[in-house]
Amino acid sequence: MLPVEHNDPINAKILAISEDKIEGFVREPFEEIANRAGIAVDAVMARVAAMLRAGTIRRVRQTLLATNLAEGALVAWKVPEHKIDAGFDWMSQRDPFSGHVVLRSTDTVSAGSDYKLWTTLKVPQGFSLQAHCELLAKKVGAERFRVMPAKGIFTLGVGHVRRKTIEPGSKGDQPAKMIPVQIVDLGEREWNVLLALKREFTPEEIKPSPWVARSKLAGVSPEEFFRVAEELSARKIVGRFSTFLEHVKPSAGGVRVTRFNALFHWAAPPGREIEAGGEVGRHHILTHCYWREAGPEFKNVNIMAVAHGTDKQLLLEHKAAIDQHLRLSDLPVSYTNVFWGGRSEIKPSEISPHVYREWWARQSKT
């Protein structure tokens, strides 16, 4: 029996690479992980498959920069207390276009603290994000919702194992560069390749040349599949090849990857959002950092970032270091807050227009 916990020394070496270091499309992803980790490829594949079967890894997949493929947003929902759990269940189980579904709380009553249900949402091109939210509000009994599209991305990656040893204040030499959010148009062949690319891997698919079988799903030759995938990667539509750890629930052996996830809020001076996001996003602890306009309900917060950890106080120390860096960078913040994640379900948002049409038709009937 192979060890399946994330903190096994060999597994940790693999995960430090496989979580978020394989950028773009790679023809032999497991070989690339093996080369960078300094571990034989057969051992890498066997251990990744074992961790996937055990649930330590919850999914293995090629990620997409879905913000460039579908209209998306972070959505905060104000739902009556007695309806929150049912609303959470509906979003996580019955809406394939809602990705992260999280119940969040603040340490004190503060701006927006009555918005306890938070989701990420993607709606395929040609459909309305607002209409989708209005439908969901009816389904879950939400009193209000706030839609916060990303205007720019500064940090996007996971790497929980790698981040366990990061010290507060650790940051890159340069500010993070913002990736603008720009919707792109794709042809039918590109969509076919993209949908085959993003499907989660089963343990049986973790083997050499995994894309050959996917090219058959896309209805193209392997060489055509590679050509289209590499072109999509060059256009910044393909993200990383990643192994996603189960970081919310404990493993079968009772081991947790993280215990806390913190959504940090800052209200940077209007007109300096790109500068502020670059200074925040350069900090290594962050898995996500975005420019989003939260509006007056949240005191006009415009920079949001996420950090994970096993120690709440340590996460607050990381935030304090970021706050100090902003002060030293002459970036005055008019307001800041932390929303802590509680119950959560994490899944990729569906982005297929065909799936959306079928889903919308079913929901409209009910």
Side-chain angles (χ1 to χ4, degrees), residues 93-331:
Q93 297 168 18
R94 299 179 65 181
D95 181 15
F97 308 95
S98 292
H100 293 50
V101 183
V102 184
L103 296 184
R104 292 194 177 276
S105 60
T106 55
D107 289 333
T108 59
V109 175
S110 52
S113 60
D114 51 349
Y115 287 77
K116 298 188 184 301
L117 178 60
W118 293 67
T119 64
T120 56
L121 178 63
K122 298 282 190 307
V123 173
Q125 295 177 44
F127 300 95
S128 167
L129 194 67
Q130 181 69 22
H132 192 99
C133 288
E134 288 171 1
L135 174 68
L136 292 183
K138 291 177 183 175
K139 297 289 185 183
V140 305
E143 296 171 357
R144 290 200 300 277
F145 58 86
R146 174 69 188 178
V147 180
M148 296 168 276
K151 301 184 79 169
I153 305 168
F154 300 94
T155 301
L156 186 59
V158 240
H160 297 304
V161 169
R162 183 168 52 78
R163 284 180 170 86
K164 280 179 175 289
T165 56
I166 288 174
E167 293 292 326
S170 175
K171 59 185 181 295
D173 295 334
Q174 298 295 325
K177 286 188 166 54
M178 188 182 85
I179 302 170
V181 176
Q182 299 171 325
I183 301 295
V184 297
D185 289 320
L186 300 180
E188 184 178 356
R189 177 168 291 195
E190 291 170 315
W191 268 113
N192 289 341
V193 169
L194 204 64
L195 294 175
L197 262 179
K198 78 180 188 71
R199 283 184 51 176
E200 294 178 21
F201 279 70
T202 65
E204 293 71 33
E205 289 180 294
I206 297 171
K207 59 186 180 182
S209 303
W211 301 120
V212 172
R214 295 295 175 92
S215 68
K216 294 176 183 175
L217 284 176
V220 297
S221 68
E223 281 308 313
E224 178 70 359
F225 187 91
F226 293 148
R227 184 190 69 76
V228 173
E230 285 163 355
E231 183 183 295
L232 293 171
S233 187
R235 292 169 66 187
K236 304 298 182 185
I237 295 167
V238 172
R240 293 178 172 87
F241 185 86
S242 299
T243 59
F244 292 86
L245 287 172
E246 175 48 75
H247 63 276
V248 178
K249 308 178 185 75
S251 70
V255 178
R256 286 184 179 271
V257 177
T258 66
R259 288 188 61 221
F260 300 96
N261 87 71
L263 175 63
F264 298 148
H265 282 186
W266 292 274
R272 300 183 70 185
E273 295 90 351
I274 295 175
E275 185 184 354
E279 295 300 340
V280 170
R282 71 198 289 182
H283 286 79
H284 295 144
I285 191 62
L286 302 176
T287 58
H288 303 72
C289 181
Y290 293 91
W291 172 9
R292 300 184 188 274
E293 296 289 343
E297 298 99 325
F298 296 93
K299 289 205 171 179
N300 298 309
V301 161
N302 48 23
I303 302 298
M304 298 186 184
V306 176
H308 298 259
T310 53
D311 185 304
K312 184 176 181 178
Q313 183 56 40
L314 182 57
L315 283 176
L316 290 172
E317 290 171 14
H318 278 287
K319 182 177 180 296
I322 298 172
D323 293 340
Q324 173 71 359
H325 176 72
L326 289 173
R327 285 191 291 271
L328 294 175
S329 302
D330 191 28
L331 276 160

Side-chain angles (χ1 to χ4, degrees), residues 342-362:
R343 182 186 179 195
S344 58
E345 288 292 338
I346 314 298
K347 56 189 172 69
S349 296
E350 180 57 71
I351 57 170
S352 165
H354 175 70
V355 173
Y356 191 87
R357 276 189 290 270
E358 290 185 345
W359 181 88
W360 184 267
R362 287 196 305 272

